[in-house]
Amino acid sequence: MNFLLSDEQVMVTDTLRSLLRDACDPRQVHDIIDRHDGFDAELWQRLVDLGVPGLMLPAEMGGAGLEMIDLALVAELLGEFAAPVPFLGHVLCGLGIRLCGTPDQQARWLPALVSGSILGTVALGEGEECWLPDEWQVTAGDRLSGGKRLVPNAMAADLMLVGTRQGLALVEKGNWTARRREGVDRTRSLEDVTFHEASVALLDRVPEGVTRLIDAAAILLAADAFGGASRCVALATDYAKLREQFGQPIGSFQGLKHQLANMALSVEPGRGLYWYAAHTWDALPGKAGHAAAQAKAHLCDAYLQAARDMVEAFGGIGFTWEHDAHIYLKRAMFDWAWLGSPVRHRLRAAQLAGW
Amino acid sequence: MNFLLSDEQVMVTDTLRSLLRDACDPRQVHDIIDRHDGFDAELWQRLVDLGVPGLMLPAEMGGAGLEMIDLALVAELLGEFAAPVPFLGHVLCGLGIRLCGTPDQQARWLPALVSGSILGTVALGEGEECWLPDEWQVTAGDRLSGGKRLVPNAMAADLMLVGTRQGLALVEKGNWTARRREGVDRTRSLEDVTFHEASVALLDRVPEGVTRLIDAAAILLAADAFGGASRCVALATDYAKLREQFGQPIGSFQGLKHQLANMALSVEPGRGLYWYAAHTWDALPGKAGHAAAQAKAHLCDAYLQAARDMVEAFGGIGFTWEHDAHIYLKRAMFDWAWLGSPVRHRLRAAQLAGW
Amino acid sequence: MELGFGAAYEAFRAEVRTFIAAHWPPADGNVKDPAAIRAFRDACTAQGYYARAVPRRYGGSEQPADIVKAEIIREEIRRADAPAEVRDGGITLLIPTLLEWGTEAQRQRFISPTLKGDYRWAQGFSEPGAGSDLASLRTRAVLVDDHWVINGQKIWSSYAHRAHYMFALVRTEPEAPKHEGISYLLIDLRQPGVTIRPLRQMTDQSEFCEVFFDDARTPADWIVGGRGQGWRITRTTLKHERGSLSGLSWTDSMLRGLIRLAREMRRDGQPAIDHPTIRAELAAIEAQSMALTYSTYRAISMTVHGQEPGLFSTMAKIASTDLAQRIAKLARDLLADDLLVMDGPQRKWIDRFMISLSMSIAGGTSNIQRNIIAERGLGLPREQRAGEA
Amino acid sequence: MELGFGAAYEAFRAEVRTFIAAHWPPADGNVKDPAAIRAFRDACTAQGYYARAVPRRYGGSEQPADIVKAEIIREEIRRADAPAEVRDGGITLLIPTLLEWGTEAQRQRFISPTLKGDYRWAQGFSEPGAGSDLASLRTRAVLVDDHWVINGQKIWSSYAHRAHYMFALVRTEPEAPKHEGISYLLIDLRQPGVTIRPLRQMTDQSEFCEVFFDDARTPADWIVGGRGQGWRITRTTLKHERGSLSGLSWTDSMLRGLIRLAREMRRDGQPAIDHPTIRAELAAIEAQSMALTYSTYRAISMTVHGQEPGLFSTMAKIASTDLAQRIAKLARDLLADDLLVMDGPQRKWIDRFMISLSMSIAGGTSNIQRNIIAERGLGLPREQRAGEA
């Protein structure tokens, strides 16, 4: 048993962490959410330069050919820094094409996604908690009509992977109209899109490919949630060490101490769960659906609670716009709801467990 | 608005409390549960002498003609002292006859129940959480056959009010066989009973009378739970004031302090809820079903949690047989499960609220 | 035991209802007209419904304390959707303080216009670094000739950007022990030495402000009580806050909103309110709300009858905070997809989901409330701390 | 990243499995025969499977530390339902202590029979009034000629009524500062000066005992380490307790039991496991258990590779306590009517419902664990208390 990171993985995460410390400090995140008109293009370019979009894509497409755990570690860090970049939609788009695309489709799109010369995204939701393949109503024939909801960065994207009753389908920019939603989480834009007799290219019908894409999405959200939740614990803890009341740091009061301990208790063990889910995706595919659903449910619940607890730990200051707390609270709301709420993933996990 | 106890009510509860302090101290309760062969007959006799069985029964039957709130206050105190007496079955038997009995039946049985010359009980449960009138399967015609479960003090009882598809029915001693269950709560015996072609007297079919009896049972359990839960808070608090660790009372540590505050918070406001439920039974019958279900659910959940918290607050000593803690924990388990678990009463309340 | 208001009170209710019907809405139907609103409030004061605790000579209606009547008035005003009594900090905190500690000149000068809404007040207690721990506050005032010269910063001052004046705690006796160096000053906010910066909240709205004093000035006799008495004055003022039913109506309206939300949203292909998990939690929340409501009724009844309601009186505040958190959580579960967007049909629930967090912060953190329950309610010993006797 | 045990370990597993199959069950099929059980355990020790940390000269098998191999052995023993290694306090706590601090004579005298199960040991640390706070213990021993004479009382001593000896902390230097006056003694429990009283638990079973010393005696050289070193010795012993997977298999078997229970019981006319509320909570518990399992795997992998697992290592214990509480609660919901009786088909769940409470008590309360997480894990400052520097 060797359930730990390799030296290379530690090195890569260290590199990425220093990049984010430099290029994604809270002031920069605040700038983006105050502008509220998209993502941090410069930061995204640096992640592209580092090879993030191609991490799991084949070497012959310019990718690094690594595994889900590697990508999830990146997602954890982006969550930790609340990075305002179009990571989620972009990597899922590439992954979907890798999983279900024809060789031609792969050759056409993957190198461009790896190099960042185009931006990809995925359209999964259809509203009212319809997120999953067996719930999709949108129908793709020669043409595609209908709407998808809550699509990340749809206005900026060049290529969209759309979930349809016929499986995944590719639509190019210009074939949809997008309506900007006022997303709660301003670090990741959401738009509703409408297709009207759009040109569309169906991917191969590989049902387990579609499922694996959903599992990947769940795992990346779980990893983001773990990173964000850990940061909430750290922010609240750091504050408790500095802030004084009645002549001593508030972190020396047992009441707050136990609350912080409970926060950490509800977050830290989640690391093993998301690692496991990522690991099953790579190594034990039969268990990946269940593990991914459990990770998404557990971590996203833990994140939202940790974010709430953190706001309370900060007192009034944590409720202000200028403070970082709400950035995490709102990102936690995104992770919690996008792709379906925890309870839905728990029921899915129960079914996959054969209960 | 005058939502508080009258001077008479305060006086009666004070009297009863001194009686219980004297006649129901923990050593006596331990004696009863160690013997495990019934109830505290002497204590019961003193309660009878005080008029407890007739509290809500008409004056012409020897009763005091008081209200549900008065009886519930008694139940609270019996819960506070974990009194090992057949109160619940006995008063519900009398109340059922008062609600649904013919004048003859009332005249025949109520004076005997008031004077304590006979012991009454109620048979409601049929196993697998069948407790309520619309779930009863036992059928009463000229004769009664079948079984009821988890009947309080069935072996000692002289008269049993049995829930049947035809409404409430009276069966006299000698017409059932009882099998002693090893009840969790040794302060209140439970038996399973079997009827085989038993003679039976149906009460008038007064459907709302049956409902009111169930509501009364729920309110009395809620009141017992409030009394017990308050005692749990008090016991844990007293211990925290006395017990020293690291040179000071453990109750001065903020961690434990906040746990005790949270315990009190989950218990104390329940008083208003059970008072309200009792008050509706007397004054606002249209609201009584809903309020009684809510009180039973809320208070019994709070009691069981408070009892668990108390055991933890005591540490190891609270886990021993000699300590009082388990008496309350087990009584809380009875209140929680008897007549159906909290979630069932919540769903019933939701229905009665018209949701 | 009597849960209704009793016959005498029901007669009072009828009288109030008749009075309101005669005065509201205004004849021209324009319920937004400021002049009409003001006229209505003046009429209510004249009638003895508003400003009940304030003597007539300062513009109040000087009625005997009666929380049941006060509640009936609130209920009837709400039912008629008429302009409610103004309940800002100037009225709930400053006026009682002036009545107890102020000079006659201060009362004459400030109470009446405050009641009328001509003077709006901001509270200046909290500072960065002195939230729950007011004794450590650092804004200072120095008496120079006939004016106090004030320097420092206040925070969490509600609606200071719309206020005319502030009642503030400032350090005037730097040499005195911490608690004894604080005075209670009244300050005109509309002067050059004062800068007010509204704090944008995470909901993207602004309620609280930072207020900076840079050689701001206030007349020497705008001090309430003596020098160094500010701490004592504040403690008695806070004690004046009495159990009231107003928190309950907030809880009640949240709960009704939650039920509506559960009817509107869907879960597993059915109305969410029919889903057993949602239904059971909704009922559990209702029970918690009922417990709070009727325990408050009991506490108020006891207070009215001169009895001490005991333990519950230490916990009313945190009990409603806990309830708000639980409501927020179920709302979150009901919202599902709608939790992602601020422009959806349930925006107000997004705000509430966040605002529920600020409840445990506002007016003392929940941890301080828990200390109060444990020490004052349960009688647990105060913690011995290093450096204390 | 590799979650399995790897090829080398799987070869080891095959070897263990073969070995066990050759030795268990005994030829006559009598798996209850004490002689057969003993012979099997001896064979396991000879083979290097049991007593791995104990040198051969004291009867152990002296294997290099390898928690993965240790886990494989445990798994295979469990799978074959063969007699597990004895894991009482004598083996897990006393032997490591003797190996580190004992005299050669003590090791020769005690280790081997303890390993074989001929000597059973009770732990004598806790006292009434000194639970988590061992430094304040009051049982004392005085050296009279060549014997310690012991007076006082110990409590929470597991199975002392079945034990031969006790390893105990007693106060031998009454004049020394609290922590420095304690020594670590070995005591024969089967002597007139010792009275053992099993404590009946709320489950009506007895596991823990009170032990009273009334001029009990033990030889002068049955002291481990020097006089006044007891506190230090205990701290190093407790430090020796290493992350292990054994807690996980307990959690896992509870969870599987809970799933079975949910299949057996009914709710709203359907198998409880199909009810959405039960189902969602069961899945939530499973996720919590998975989180604990794989974080433990990670911590162990890191330890094996000489890395520090960090924060998680402070929380493994309380995390499984929390999980046990949550399991107990769902079991309660499933039991419904069966919660009322001890003679029903689900008696074991009634016991577990209660035993889950004792978990947060055993071995230090959860509050002390929370302090450890906060101070050691999160680096929060220790509380300054009155009378401390």
Side-chain angles (χ1 to χ4, degrees):
Chain A
M1 186 170 55
N2 187 17
F3 197 56
L4 77 179
L5 302 185
S6 66
D7 292 346
E8 293 71 29
Q9 284 166 331
V10 172
M11 217 177 60
V12 170
T13 51
D14 284 351
T15 307
L16 183 55
R17 179 174 276 114
S18 348
L19 186 156
L20 290 166
R21 272 217 191 94
D22 168 41
C24 185
D25 83 15
R27 269 165 313 168
Q28 283 154 295
V29 180
H30 277 287
D31 276 355
I32 295 293
I33 66 170
D34 284 344
R35 292 207 322 255
H36 197 200
D37 62 352
F39 53 87
D40 184 337
E42 198 177 325
L43 173 61
W44 179 237
Q45 187 55 50
R46 292 185 65 173
L47 294 171
V48 168
D49 295 345
L50 205 72
V52 164
L55 218 55
M56 281 186 74
L57 298 180
E60 60 272 27
M61 302 293 168
L66 295 176
E67 300 191 310
M68 179 56 75
I69 182 68
D70 300 285
L71 195 63
L73 289 166
V74 172
E76 177 191 328
L77 278 165
L78 298 178
E80 186 179 328
F81 286 82
V85 289
F87 168 82
L88 184 67
H90 190 79
V91 299
L92 289 175
C93 180
L95 195 58
I97 296 171
R98 191 199 109 183
L99 289 164
C100 303
T102 62
D104 281 356
Q105 286 167 331
Q106 303 211 18
R108 177 164 174 210
W109 296 116
L110 294 187
L113 288 169
V114 169
S115 73
S117 65
I118 61 168
L119 182 68
T121 191
V122 287
L124 304 178
E126 299 189 357
E128 302 217 340
E129 276 211 283
C130 291
W131 289 99
L132 303 180
D134 55 1
E135 300 160 345
W136 290 336
Q137 297 299 319
V138 167
T139 305
D142 293 339
R143 294 271 157 175
L144 178 67
S145 291
K148 298 292 273 191
R149 299 257 201 103
L150 303 165
V151 179
N153 301 97
M155 289 172 84
D158 304 291
L159 183 66
M160 188 181 292
L161 193 59
V162 183
T164 76
R165 296 172 78 137
Q166 287 69 36
L168 297 171
L170 278 171
V171 181
E172 292 177 57
K173 197 188 181 81
N175 286 287
W176 64 78
T177 54
R179 182 172 73 90
R180 181 58 149 282
R181 299 302 303 266
E182 196 191 327
V184 160
D185 173 17
R186 294 195 180 179
T187 64
R188 289 172 295 183
S189 302
L190 291 176
E191 283 106 40
D192 290 348
V193 297
T194 310
F195 309 100
H196 182 68
E197 296 284 317
S199 353
V200 61
L202 271 173
L203 272 54
D204 272 2
R205 294 191 66 168
V206 189
E208 68 277 17
V210 182
T211 310
R212 280 175 71 67
L213 181 67
I214 298 296
D215 295 342
I219 292 163
L220 294 177
L221 288 163
D224 186 273
F226 179 76
S230 303
R231 181 63 162 264
C232 290
V233 175
L235 288 170
T237 304
D238 289 347
Y239 183 69
K241 289 175 189 171
L242 286 175
R243 162 93 160 139
E244 298 207 346
Q245 237 175 34
F246 306 106
Q248 51 185 308
I250 57 174
S252 67
F253 297 117
Q254 215 186 30
L256 181 58
K257 220 178 232 183
H258 287 186
Q259 282 160 358
L260 292 169
N262 288 340
M263 254 177 98
L265 250 172
S266 68
V267 171
E268 176 62 23
R271 188 199 303 270
L273 177 55
Y274 104 71
W275 278 22
Y276 173 70
H279 180 68
T280 58
W281 201 94
D282 296 319
L284 305 160
K287 297 187 169 179
H290 174 258
Q294 285 288 37
K296 153 79 172 145
H298 183 81
L299 277 292
C300 296
D301 245 356
Y303 186 14
L304 190 45
Q305 189 57 48
R308 289 182 65 98
D309 292 345
M310 168 193 58
V311 172
E312 290 199 37
F314 274 107
I317 193 78
F319 200 66
T320 61
W321 188 272
E322 279 88 352
H323 196 272
D324 301 346
H326 75 109
I327 294 173
Y328 288 93
L329 177 70
K330 292 169 178 176
R331 199 160 165 120
M333 289 162 80
F334 182 112
D335 287 347
W336 191 93
W338 202 82
L339 202 69
S341 61
V343 68
R344 299 207 59 210
H345 287 277
R346 292 202 174 99
L347 295 177
R348 217 160 62 85
Q351 192 176 357
L352 290 165
W355 296 346
Chain B
M1 187 169 54
N2 188 17
F3 198 55
L4 77 178
L5 302 185
S6 67
D7 292 346
E8 293 71 27
Q9 285 165 331
V10 171
M11 217 177 62
V12 169
T13 53
D14 285 351
T15 308
L16 182 56
R17 178 175 275 114
S18 352
L19 185 156
L20 289 166
R21 275 216 189 95
D22 168 41
C24 185
D25 83 14
R27 270 164 314 169
Q28 283 154 293
V29 180
H30 275 288
D31 276 355
I32 295 292
I33 67 167
D34 285 344
R35 292 206 324 256
H36 198 197
D37 63 351
F39 54 85
D40 185 337
E42 197 177 324
L43 174 61
W44 178 235
Q45 187 56 50
R46 292 185 64 173
L47 294 171
V48 169
D49 294 345
L50 206 70
V52 164
L55 218 55
M56 281 186 74
L57 298 179
E60 59 272 27
M61 301 295 167
L66 295 178
E67 298 191 311
M68 180 56 73
I69 182 68
D70 300 285
L71 196 62
L73 290 167
V74 172
E76 177 191 329
L77 278 166
L78 298 178
E80 184 179 328
F81 287 84
V85 288
F87 169 81
L88 184 67
H90 189 80
V91 299
L92 288 175
C93 180
L95 195 58
I97 295 171
R98 190 200 110 183
L99 288 165
C100 304
T102 63
D104 281 358
Q105 287 165 332
Q106 302 210 20
R108 175 159 175 214
W109 296 115
L110 294 187
L113 288 169
V114 170
S115 73
S117 63
I118 62 168
L119 183 68
T121 190
V122 285
L124 304 178
E126 299 190 356
E128 303 216 339
E129 276 210 283
C130 291
W131 290 98
L132 301 180
D134 54 1
E135 301 159 344
W136 290 335
Q137 296 299 319
V138 166
T139 305
D142 292 342
R143 295 270 157 175
L144 179 68
S145 292
K148 296 293 271 192
R149 301 259 200 102
L150 304 165
V151 179
N153 301 97
M155 289 172 84
D158 304 291
L159 182 66
M160 189 180 292
L161 192 60
V162 183
T164 76
R165 296 173 77 137
Q166 286 69 36
L168 298 171
L170 278 171
V171 182
E172 292 178 58
K173 195 186 181 83
N175 285 288
W176 64 78
T177 53
R179 181 171 75 88
R180 180 59 150 280
R181 299 302 303 267
E182 195 190 324
V184 160
D185 173 16
R186 294 194 179 179
T187 64
R188 287 171 296 183
S189 303
L190 291 176
E191 283 107 39
D192 290 348
V193 297
T194 311
F195 310 99
H196 182 66
E197 297 284 319
S199 5
V200 60
L202 272 174
L203 272 57
D204 271 1
R205 294 193 67 170
V206 189
E208 70 277 16
V210 183
T211 309
R212 279 175 73 66
L213 181 67
I214 297 296
D215 294 341
I219 292 164
L220 294 177
L221 288 163
D224 186 274
F226 180 76
S230 303
R231 181 63 161 261
C232 290
V233 175
L235 287 170
T237 304
D238 289 348
Y239 182 69
K241 289 176 190 170
L242 285 174
R243 163 92 161 137
E244 297 208 347
Q245 240 177 32
F246 306 106
Q248 53 185 309
I250 57 174
S252 67
F253 296 116
Q254 212 186 32
L256 181 58
K257 217 177 234 185
H258 287 188
Q259 282 160 0
L260 292 169
N262 287 340
M263 256 177 97
L265 249 173
S266 68
V267 171
E268 175 62 23
R271 188 198 304 269
L273 177 55
Y274 103 71
W275 279 21
Y276 173 70
H279 179 68
T280 59
W281 202 94
D282 296 317
L284 306 160
K287 296 185 171 183
H290 174 257
Q294 285 288 37
K296 153 78 171 145
H298 184 81
L299 277 290
C300 296
D301 245 357
Y303 186 14
L304 189 46
Q305 189 56 48
R308 289 183 65 99
D309 292 344
M310 167 193 59
V311 172
E312 290 199 38
F314 275 107
I317 194 78
F319 200 65
T320 62
W321 188 272
E322 279 90 352
H323 197 273
D324 301 346
H326 75 110
I327 295 173
Y328 288 92
L329 177 70
K330 292 168 177 176
R331 198 159 165 119
M333 289 162 80
F334 182 112
D335 287 346
W336 191 91
W338 203 82
L339 201 67
S341 60
V343 68
R344 299 206 59 212
H345 287 277
R346 291 202 177 100
L347 295 178
R348 217 161 61 85
Q351 194 176 356
L352 291 165
W355 296 348
Chain C
M1 185 176 282
E2 164 66 52
L3 196 54
F5 291 104
Y9 282 122
E10 291 310 323
F12 178 74
R13 182 189 297 279
E15 177 196 313
V16 173
R17 198 174 293 180
T18 308
F19 174 85
I20 295 173
H23 293 78
W24 195 261
D28 64 358
N30 182 5
V31 296
K32 305 268 182 198
D33 174 18
I37 291 172
R38 182 179 191 132
F40 178 78
R41 288 194 174 122
D42 286 348
C44 285
T45 303
Q47 182 70 10
Y49 295 167
Y50 286 0
R52 294 167 56 82
V54 180
R56 289 190 182 272
R57 68 184 181 283
Y58 305 127
S61 67
E62 200 168 350
Q63 298 292 314
D66 186 329
I67 53 177
V68 177
K69 279 193 176 172
E71 172 63 9
I72 288 171
I73 294 163
R74 269 194 297 271
E75 282 182 9
E76 293 302 320
I77 289 288
R78 216 164 29 227
R79 164 202 284 268
D81 216 4
E85 187 169 15
V86 178
R87 300 287 300 161
D88 67 5
I91 287 172
T92 59
L93 293 175
L94 175 67
I95 291 179
T97 302
L98 288 180
L99 288 174
E100 186 166 353
W101 296 86
T103 61
E104 187 56 30
Q106 287 167 347
R107 295 178 190 159
Q108 293 290 352
R109 167 91 172 69
F110 293 112
I111 294 181
S112 175
T114 300
L115 277 178
K116 288 191 165 40
D118 292 336
Y119 288 1
R120 273 192 304 224
W121 292 84
Q123 177 176 317
F125 290 177
S126 295
E127 295 183 6
S132 315
D133 178 21
L134 285 180
S136 68
L137 50 82
R138 285 177 303 189
T139 296
R140 62 198 188 286
V142 181
L143 196 58
V144 179
D145 300 328
D146 55 350
H147 278 80
W148 295 99
V149 178
I150 307 154
N151 283 282
Q153 180 189 357
K154 293 288 174 183
I155 196 170
W156 311 129
S157 190
S158 304
Y159 299 112
H161 54 316
R162 300 190 207 149
H164 309 86
Y165 298 98
M166 171 181 277
F167 51 97
L169 292 178
V170 297
R171 190 162 298 283
T172 55
E173 325 298 311
E175 309 302 325
K178 270 174 126 193
H179 289 80
E180 296 159 33
I182 296 168
S183 299
Y184 191 115
L185 296 190
L186 310 178
I187 304 166
D188 188 338
L189 289 176
R190 305 193 173 176
Q191 58 168 305
V194 174
T195 310
I196 299 177
R197 196 169 77 92
L199 287 164
R200 188 177 175 192
Q201 297 178 1
M202 62 164 71
T203 53
D204 208 1
Q205 292 148 351
S206 293
E207 177 184 342
F208 300 105
C209 300
E210 290 179 293
V211 180
F212 301 87
F213 300 102
D214 183 14
D215 286 338
R217 291 155 60 86
T218 205
D221 59 357
W222 284 28
I223 184 171
V224 181
R227 289 176 72 136
Q229 288 195 295
W231 174 255
R232 236 178 101 204
I233 293 174
T234 315
R235 284 178 67 108
T236 56
T237 308
L238 294 175
K239 217 179 59 189
H240 280 182
E241 290 191 275
R242 294 277 282 283
S244 109
L245 295 165
S246 57
L248 295 180
S249 61
W250 178 86
T251 305
D252 193 53
S253 91
M254 278 301 108
L255 178 60
R256 277 182 287 125
L258 192 64
I259 294 166
R260 272 196 305 277
L261 183 66
R263 287 192 205 279
E264 285 168 27
M265 306 303 286
R266 297 184 69 77
R267 166 71 67 93
D268 294 354
Q270 58 188 331
I273 201 165
D274 293 337
H275 191 281
T277 309
I278 302 291
R279 213 167 157 75
E281 176 62 8
L282 203 51
I285 289 172
E286 188 192 42
Q288 200 176 330
S289 164
M290 290 168 74
L292 185 54
T293 300
Y294 296 108
S295 289
T296 304
Y297 281 6
R298 171 179 168 272
I300 288 176
S301 300
M302 292 179 80
T303 307
V304 167
H305 288 77
Q307 303 171 18
E308 261 303 322
L311 186 54
F312 180 75
S313 56
T314 62
M315 52 179 58
K317 184 178 158 35
I318 193 169
S320 59
T321 306
D322 284 356
L323 188 59
Q325 305 280 358
R326 199 167 176 182
I327 289 172
K329 255 193 190 159
L330 183 55
R332 174 202 69 183
D333 290 346
L334 290 166
L335 288 177
D337 280 7
D338 283 319
L339 200 69
L340 289 165
V341 287
M342 308 280 270
D343 57 1
Q346 306 299 350
R347 161 67 189 262
K348 69 169 180 290
W349 282 104
I350 302 275
D351 287 342
R352 285 174 184 163
F353 180 73
M354 299 188 210
I355 289 168
S356 66
L357 286 167
S358 73
M359 283 189 59
S360 48
I361 295 161
T365 71
S366 292
N367 278 350
I368 287 177
Q369 296 292 324
R370 285 193 190 93
N371 281 346
I372 290 172
I373 295 170
E375 292 169 10
R376 217 180 297 160
L378 300 174
L380 288 163
R382 276 199 68 218
E383 201 154 6
Q384 292 296 312
R385 306 200 145 274
E388 285 186 347
Chain D
M1 186 176 282
E2 163 67 53
L3 195 55
F5 291 103
Y9 283 123
E10 289 311 321
F12 177 74
R13 182 189 296 278
E15 178 198 311
V16 174
R17 198 174 294 181
T18 310
F19 174 86
I20 296 173
H23 292 80
W24 195 262
D28 64 359
N30 181 2
V31 296
K32 304 269 180 196
D33 175 18
I37 290 172
R38 181 178 191 132
F40 177 79
R41 287 195 173 122
D42 287 348
C44 284
T45 303
Q47 183 71 11
Y49 295 168
Y50 286 179
R52 294 167 56 83
V54 180
R56 289 192 180 270
R57 67 183 183 283
Y58 304 126
S61 65
E62 201 168 348
Q63 299 292 314
D66 187 329
I67 52 178
V68 177
K69 281 192 174 174
E71 172 62 9
I72 289 171
I73 294 163
R74 270 194 297 271
E75 282 182 9
E76 292 302 320
I77 290 288
R78 211 160 39 222
R79 164 202 283 267
D81 215 3
E85 186 169 17
V86 179
R87 300 287 300 162
D88 67 4
I91 286 172
T92 57
L93 293 175
L94 176 67
I95 291 180
T97 301
L98 289 179
L99 288 173
E100 186 166 352
W101 296 86
T103 61
E104 187 56 29
Q106 288 168 345
R107 294 179 191 161
Q108 292 290 352
R109 168 91 172 70
F110 293 111
I111 293 181
S112 175
T114 300
L115 277 178
K116 285 191 169 36
D118 293 335
Y119 288 0
R120 273 191 303 220
W121 291 83
Q123 177 175 316
F125 290 177
S126 294
E127 295 184 5
S132 315
D133 176 22
L134 284 179
S136 68
L137 50 81
R138 284 178 303 190
T139 296
R140 62 198 188 285
V142 181
L143 195 58
V144 179
D145 301 329
D146 55 351
H147 277 81
W148 295 100
V149 178
I150 307 153
N151 283 283
Q153 180 191 357
K154 292 290 174 183
I155 197 168
W156 312 128
S157 188
S158 304
Y159 299 113
H161 54 315
R162 299 189 207 151
H164 308 87
Y165 298 99
M166 173 181 274
F167 51 96
L169 292 178
V170 297
R171 189 164 299 282
T172 55
E173 326 297 313
E175 309 302 324
K178 271 174 123 192
H179 290 80
E180 295 159 32
I182 296 167
S183 298
Y184 191 115
L185 296 190
L186 310 178
I187 305 166
D188 189 339
L189 290 176
R190 304 194 173 176
Q191 59 167 307
V194 173
T195 309
I196 299 176
R197 196 169 78 91
L199 288 164
R200 189 177 175 192
Q201 298 177 1
M202 63 164 72
T203 54
D204 209 1
Q205 292 147 352
S206 292
E207 177 184 342
F208 298 105
C209 300
E210 289 179 295
V211 181
F212 299 88
F213 300 102
D214 182 14
D215 286 340
R217 290 157 60 86
T218 204
D221 59 359
W222 283 28
I223 183 173
V224 180
R227 289 177 70 137
Q229 288 194 296
W231 173 256
R232 235 178 100 204
I233 293 174
T234 315
R235 284 180 65 107
T236 57
T237 308
L238 294 176
K239 215 180 58 188
H240 280 181
E241 291 190 276
R242 295 276 284 280
S244 110
L245 295 164
S246 56
L248 296 181
S249 61
W250 178 87
T251 305
D252 194 53
S253 90
M254 278 302 107
L255 178 60
R256 278 182 287 125
L258 192 64
I259 293 167
R260 273 197 304 278
L261 183 66
R263 285 192 205 280
E264 286 168 25
M265 307 302 287
R266 296 184 70 78
R267 166 72 66 95
D268 293 353
Q270 58 187 332
I273 201 166
D274 293 337
H275 192 281
T277 309
I278 301 292
R279 212 168 160 74
E281 176 61 8
L282 204 50
I285 288 172
E286 187 190 44
Q288 200 175 330
S289 164
M290 289 168 76
L292 185 53
T293 299
Y294 297 108
S295 289
T296 304
Y297 282 5
R298 169 179 170 273
I300 288 175
S301 300
M302 292 179 80
T303 308
V304 167
H305 287 77
Q307 303 172 18
E308 262 302 324
L311 185 55
F312 180 75
S313 56
T314 62
M315 51 178 60
K317 185 179 156 35
I318 194 169
S320 58
T321 306
D322 283 356
L323 188 59
Q325 305 279 1
R326 196 167 177 182
I327 289 172
K329 255 194 190 160
L330 183 56
R332 173 202 70 183
D333 289 345
L334 291 166
L335 288 176
D337 279 7
D338 283 320
L339 199 70
L340 289 165
V341 287
M342 307 280 273
D343 57 2
Q346 306 298 352
R347 162 67 188 261
K348 67 169 183 289
W349 281 105
I350 301 276
D351 288 343
R352 284 174 186 162
F353 181 72
M354 298 189 210
I355 288 168
S356 66
L357 286 168
S358 73
M359 283 188 60
S360 48
I361 295 161
T365 70
S366 293
N367 277 352
I368 287 178
Q369 296 292 324
R370 284 193 193 95
N371 280 346
I372 291 172
I373 296 170
E375 292 169 10
R376 217 180 295 160
L378 300 175
L380 288 164
R382 277 198 67 220
E383 202 155 4
Q384 294 296 313
R385 306 199 145 277
E388 288 187 348

